[in-house]
Amino acid sequence: MSKSAVFLDRDGVINLDKGYVYKIDDFIWVDGAIEAIKYLIEKNFYVFVVTNQSGIARGYYTEHDVVLLHQYINKELEKNGALIHDFYYSPYHPDFPDVYSNLSNLRKPNTGMLELAAKKWDFKKSQSFLIGDKESDIICAKRFGIKGYKFNSSNLNTFVKQIV
């Protein structure tokens, strides 16, 4: 039997959005983020990160930098009995159409990252949802056919418990 899935935007939802976060030293957890992810795991959800990372197309950092940060996130979560099942990111940005244009479908509000997750993981789409901090996240969720919640709180754990 498949589980439900929660798609979390990264910058502004699980970490403070300080603009183009890719260094571990710049990564600061949103209050309640670790607890929220642990809670979702305990409630038998798959937890996925779906994040636009236009800093790659802009040349600010590399895909390798993003992968290293995501590995760090999971190491920190594992210390607390939690994990992100999979990370998806879009390196594309329309201001830089010559770079990664073949991946433009991944950039939210497009649904490419969620579609990749659906191909790889068996989850109940009808009982899944997305939490993001921007309108493009909510549009992405709607286009994919799941509920979208705009995170505008100071504590992710409190926010998640109001939804689940």
Side-chain angles (χ1 to χ4, degrees):
M1 182 145 129
S2 67
K3 302 179 183 187
S4 300
V6 177
F7 296 90
L8 300 173
D9 179 39
R10 197 189 79 189
D11 302 324
V13 175
I14 67 169
N15 63 280
L16 298 180
D17 188 353
K18 301 189 325 180
Y20 306 107
V21 174
Y22 69 97
K23 294 178 185 170
I24 292 168
D25 290 347
D26 293 337
F27 184 90
I28 301 170
W29 292 98
V30 161
D31 287 342
I34 293 172
E35 296 82 0
I37 294 165
K38 184 175 182 179
Y39 176 77
L40 290 165
I41 297 295
E42 289 169 352
K43 291 292 182 184
N44 206 32
F45 282 89
Y46 287 124
V47 181
F48 305 123
V49 165
V50 287
T51 177
N52 287 343
Q53 291 296 316
S54 71
I56 298 168
R58 297 170 192 271
Y60 297 163
Y61 49 89
T62 67
E63 289 189 66
H64 182 68
D65 292 325
V66 172
V67 170
L68 289 177
L69 182 58
H70 291 169
Q71 289 171 347
Y72 165 79
I73 291 168
N74 253 350
K75 283 179 189 160
E76 293 301 303
L77 287 170
E78 286 170 15
K79 292 176 187 175
N80 293 278
L83 81 150
I84 302 293
H85 290 95
D86 220 340
F87 292 87
Y88 298 91
Y89 64 90
S90 169
Y92 174 77
H93 192 277
D95 290 350
F96 302 87
D98 297 340
V99 190
Y100 299 105
S101 60
N102 60 318
L103 300 177
S104 62
N105 67 310
L106 297 180
R107 184 172 175 81
K108 294 177 289 180
N110 297 325
T111 59
M113 290 186 280
L114 287 73
E115 290 166 13
L116 288 174
K119 286 179 185 168
K120 183 174 176 183
W121 298 84
D122 180 26
F123 61 86
K124 297 179 200 164
K125 187 172 172 182
S126 63
Q127 295 173 18
S128 298
F129 60 91
L130 183 148
I131 298 174
D133 65 329
K134 294 185 174 62
E135 195 58 33
S136 59
D137 296 313
I138 306 310
I139 294 167
C140 174
K142 186 175 181 178
R143 286 180 178 174
F144 189 64
I146 61 174
K147 289 183 180 173
Y149 298 94
K150 194 165 186 180
F151 179 65
N152 51 9
S153 174
S154 60
N155 188 294
L156 186 61
N157 196 32
T158 304
F159 188 82
V160 164
K161 286 183 175 179
Q162 291 170 346
I163 296 169
V164 174

